Amino acid sequence: MFDQAMAGIAGRFKRVEPRATARAFVLAVLSGVERKNWWRLAEQAGHARPGPMQRLLRSARWDADAVRDDVQTYVLEHLSADDGVLVVDETGFLKKGTASAGVQRQYTSTAGRVENTQVGVFLAYASSRGRALIDRRLYLPDASWCQDAERRTRAGIPDRVEFATKPALAGQMIAASLDAGIGVSWVTGDEAYGQDPGLRALLESREIGYVLAVACSRRVQINEGRTTARADAVADRLPASAWHRQSAGAGAKGPRYYDWAWIEIGADRHRHLLIRRKPSNGELAFYLCWSPLRVPLSELVRVAGTRWCIEECFQAAKGQVGLDHYQVRHWTAWHRHITLAMLALAFLAALAANATPARTAQPDRPVRSTDPIDLTVPEIRHLLGTPQNPTNAFPCRLLPWSNWRRRHQATARRSHYRRRLISPSTG
């Protein structure tokens, strides 16, 4: 499967040297090297110096956007399903200095505060088969970067790149993915994207439904559009019968139960305010929803619960394939590193989707207490990152440990699920 993944991007490299270095780069980020910077990756690849890795990211002739398109194709080939959802979000890359493209002191959820950081806006594809990152945009602050010609030149930012808000970058990625043939019915994202009318208008014009988080202060139209009220005020007026306890999907410790309510807003019947209430403390969250066709509450709840998939992608990409371990300042180098890391993550997600346990090949056989959980992205990367036994695809020494570990994880999961099912209010 790795050979197939690399064959999918081989045509993007005109010369054999960068093609071979790209293969070595992806293999190195899949390895057990803890810090995936140039020096460590070059050492892992067997190079005498980091020069080939540096040239691959900085000066070699290849198009990172074209490889990004190949990553999308690869993800759809292995993870596509009828329940696929596009998820938008941003993540921060903490940096020192002021020379890296797009860096400045700005808020990042990665640190939970204002830090010196770069911010990347990402698009993920999530389905019942798995999830992976499929597009990326580096956010450029307007005053400190877009309007500073000298600074742009030093960081290699092309003249065609203009200022765009984070929701606008998300809209560009969604439109490009839809134009490329990605068949989805839903998009979801957090408040930064739900509050933008331009993004919502784009999705409605493409007849793509959305479930986008908004602030409690958001004003919505009620009574068939005759009056407006704050979202939290609407929630306070709802009777007890309006709330329905449903799971937003399976978590590590069982179904994620919340209380949900929805009301029609505006003049049509395809627009809703979705309200989520946490049973343990009553904390509320709000979502603006639109769909070209009428859908049940359970479908909106499913899409809202899918939003967390991109957080899992960020965690896996940073922890497993070094998404944030780069040592580059240049615009082109940033996009190339991120794209190759996305390819490595997509490969792991595809392996996880195809590593089907034997019991699924026998659907009539009941699940036994000794059956382990499915192979996960971190577990597969752990196995692949260990020196291989030449006669086996996985290290013979570690696979028994993996089976033992996953059996115990399955036992813990069943206990958690049983407790959640008995008392959903603890969710």
Side-chain angles (χ1 to χ4, degrees):
M1 286 187 64
F2 181 78
D3 289 339
Q4 294 173 358
M6 296 309 299
I9 68 168
R12 306 301 185 180
F13 301 89
K14 302 304 182 183
R15 301 178 65 243
V16 66
E17 292 86 355
R19 186 185 310 140
T21 305
R23 178 186 177 88
F25 183 98
V26 177
L27 275 175
V29 298
L30 289 169
S31 73
V33 174
E34 182 177 355
R35 188 66 184 170
K36 304 178 191 297
N37 55 34
W38 277 340
W39 295 89
R40 296 290 187 179
L41 296 182
E43 180 183 18
Q44 178 67 24
H47 296 169
R49 51 193 174 84
M53 294 290 184
Q54 293 173 327
R55 285 193 296 274
L56 174 71
L57 297 185
R58 181 67 184 268
S59 60
R61 297 182 61 183
W62 60 282
D63 188 347
D65 287 344
V67 174
R68 180 269 324 272
D69 295 340
D70 294 334
V71 172
Q72 289 190 6
T73 301
Y74 183 80
V75 168
L76 290 182
E77 178 184 350
H78 291 277
L79 304 183
S80 180
D82 293 339
D83 59 355
V85 176
L86 292 179
V87 192
V88 294
D89 202 0
E90 64 200 59
T91 189
F93 302 90
L94 302 180
K95 302 294 289 184
K96 295 181 179 179
T98 60
S100 299
V103 69
Q104 74 167 19
R105 287 189 61 81
Q106 53 192 320
Y107 177 82
T108 170
S109 58
T110 303
R113 59 183 181 273
V114 174
E115 286 283 357
N116 197 57
T117 183
Q118 294 172 295
V119 173
V121 181
F122 286 81
L123 183 69
Y125 178 84
S127 74
S128 55
R129 290 185 53 78
R131 64 288 308 264
L133 301 173
I134 61 172
D135 205 349
R136 72 286 179 269
R137 296 286 193 279
L138 180 60
Y139 171 70
L140 284 182
D142 189 15
S144 61
W145 277 96
C146 290
Q147 299 180 29
D148 190 331
E150 182 180 353
R151 202 178 188 192
R152 289 172 61 109
T153 300
R154 287 199 303 267
I157 299 172
D159 293 338
R160 69 178 185 276
V161 177
E162 300 178 350
F163 173 73
T165 64
K166 295 167 188 174
L169 294 175
Q172 293 172 14
M173 292 188 291
I174 293 169
S177 297
L178 295 175
D179 292 340
I182 291 184
V184 296
S185 300
W186 294 100
V187 169
T188 185
D190 66 15
E191 291 182 18
Y193 306 93
Q195 68 184 4
D196 187 77
L199 179 59
R200 300 197 305 271
L202 168 68
L203 295 174
E204 292 181 23
S205 69
R206 303 293 294 260
E207 294 194 341
I208 300 297
Y210 58 76
V211 178
L212 297 170
V214 293
C216 63
S217 58
R218 172 76 189 187
R219 299 193 70 86
V220 296
Q221 296 180 337
I222 57 176
N223 299 325
E224 297 183 349
R226 293 190 295 271
T227 60
T228 64
R230 282 174 54 114
D232 52 1
V234 173
D236 291 340
R237 300 173 192 170
L238 293 176
S241 59
W243 296 94
H244 307 273
R245 183 155 298 178
Q246 295 190 20
S247 171
K253 297 183 179 181
R256 294 176 290 150
Y257 281 108
Y258 296 94
D259 294 327
W260 301 86
W262 62 332
I263 62 168
E264 292 180 359
I265 56 176
D268 61 62
R269 298 196 169 199
H270 305 288
R271 203 177 300 276
H272 293 86
L273 175 68
L274 177 67
I275 307 170
R276 187 194 73 193
R277 185 175 67 190
K278 195 171 184 179
S280 59
N281 57 15
E283 179 184 354
L284 298 176
F286 304 89
Y287 304 84
L288 286 184
C289 308
W290 180 87
S291 60
L293 301 173
R294 293 279 289 175
V295 296
L297 172 63
S298 58
E299 180 68 358
L300 298 182
V301 170
R302 180 188 72 83
V303 177
T306 305
R307 186 173 71 85
W308 298 104
C309 290
I310 197 168
E311 299 293 346
E312 297 174 357
C313 285
F314 290 149
Q315 182 180 7
K318 292 181 178 182
Q320 305 300 325
V321 297
L323 186 76
D324 59 343
H325 293 189
Y326 55 85
Q327 292 178 306
V328 299
R329 297 176 175 177
H330 200 268
W331 170 272
T332 298
W334 186 90
H335 284 84
R336 289 180 171 185
H337 172 92
I338 297 297
T339 303
L340 292 177
M342 286 167 46
L343 173 61
L345 180 66
F347 168 67
L348 291 177
L351 271 182
N354 285 276
T356 306
R359 63 175 179 273
T360 60
Q362 305 174 25
D364 296 332
R365 181 176 70 81
V367 176
R368 297 178 301 207
S369 59
T370 56
D371 288 333
I373 66 169
D374 295 348
L375 282 165
T376 62
V377 165
E379 188 71 10
I380 289 176
R381 210 282 305 166
H382 175 62
L383 293 170
L384 289 176
T386 303
Q388 303 286 309
N389 182 308
T391 63
N392 199 339
F394 291 117
C396 296
R397 180 176 59 84
L398 287 187
L399 193 55
W401 273 104
S402 175
N403 292 333
W404 178 88
R405 183 162 50 245
R406 290 185 294 117
R407 286 193 183 96
H408 280 260
Q409 290 170 337
T411 301
R413 175 177 293 183
R414 282 191 294 271
S415 299
H416 287 307
Y417 272 46
R418 190 178 301 113
R419 185 161 54 249
R420 289 288 178 93
L421 291 172
I422 293 174
S423 180
S425 62
T426 62

